[in-house]
Amino acid sequence: MLTQIAAGFGTVTTGVLMLYGLYATVKTKGIAFRAFPAMFRQIKHPQQTGRTVSPFRAFATSLGGTIGVGNLTGVSVAIALGGPGAVFWMWISALLCMTIKYFEVYLAVKHQPETETQYAFAPMEYLKKATENKGFAGLFALCGVFSALAMGSMIQTNAACSAGETAFALPGIVTGVVFAVGVAVFLSGG
């Protein structure tokens, strides 16, 4: 039952994101595609803006925060379950949802602090500035905590445990304890 609910939620979420990506792409006349030449010019000849982070660094940070173990395991599971058709739909969804990622980077650069020396590019920071609504930003932060715990940590730890069991016959509990100790050391400032 829970698996069916999760699968339905995933389907609905994917559909909503693809529809919004299509809407945003049409509304912006394909900004994610039209901006590619400007992006490559910016990489080759960066402009000095006087801000804390260049547009390229914001792009690279955003891309680095997007691609992870969840993407790798998700793609492999999708191909195993869906075959070649899954690759086609992943390309379609990636092309449609590029505009959503474009807006994330755009908002981060637009609402970055102009005089501060610290980096403040967290989505809740620019949501607070863009909407002038602390409650909305707080709700986003709360959802981010649950997402990081449920999707990020659990998927990555499960993937590492599965790889350890397959490659080295290492029990999952050992990998889990190593991860827990590593996180504890990192969080305690070690």
Side-chain angles (χ1 to χ4, degrees):
M1 176 71 173
L2 189 58
T3 306
Q4 292 171 335
I5 292 171
F9 180 73
T11 303
V12 169
T13 303
T14 302
V16 167
L17 285 174
M18 287 180 69
L19 286 174
Y20 180 69
L22 178 63
Y23 168 77
T25 300
V26 169
K27 191 78 171 167
T28 61
K29 299 179 180 120
I31 186 69
F33 302 102
R34 290 186 295 116
F36 268 107
M39 179 188 70
F40 287 119
R41 279 193 306 274
Q42 179 67 26
I43 291 170
K44 192 171 181 180
H45 305 290
Q47 296 175 358
Q48 297 300 323
T49 61
R51 293 188 171 211
T52 55
V53 172
S54 69
F56 174 71
R57 289 176 97 186
F59 166 75
T61 302
S62 175
L63 190 61
T66 302
I67 300 172
V69 174
N71 289 57
L72 301 175
T73 57
V75 168
S76 60
V77 168
I79 292 172
L81 296 176
V87 175
F88 171 77
W89 285 108
M90 282 187 278
W91 274 95
I92 296 297
S93 65
L95 290 173
L96 290 175
C97 293
M98 278 193 311
T99 306
I100 298 171
K101 193 58 167 179
Y102 167 81
F103 282 124
E104 180 182 350
V105 174
Y106 174 80
L107 287 171
V109 171
K110 182 178 179 184
H111 295 287
Q112 69 178 318
E114 298 212 12
T115 57
E116 299 174 22
T117 58
Q118 65 185 11
Y119 298 113
F121 294 99
M124 46 274 185
E125 286 294 325
Y126 60 74
L127 283 172
K128 184 172 63 176
K129 288 181 181 181
T131 64
E132 298 178 2
N133 185 341
K134 288 183 180 180
F136 183 64
L139 177 63
F140 183 89
L142 184 64
C143 290
V145 167
F146 288 122
S147 175
L149 292 174
M151 292 189 294
S153 302
M154 288 182 189
I155 289 174
Q156 292 180 11
T157 305
N158 184 42
C161 289
S162 296
E165 287 177 8
T166 303
F168 307 110
L170 195 63
I173 188 73
V174 173
T175 307
V177 167
V178 168
F179 269 53
V181 169
V183 169
V185 168
F186 176 77
L187 291 177
S188 67

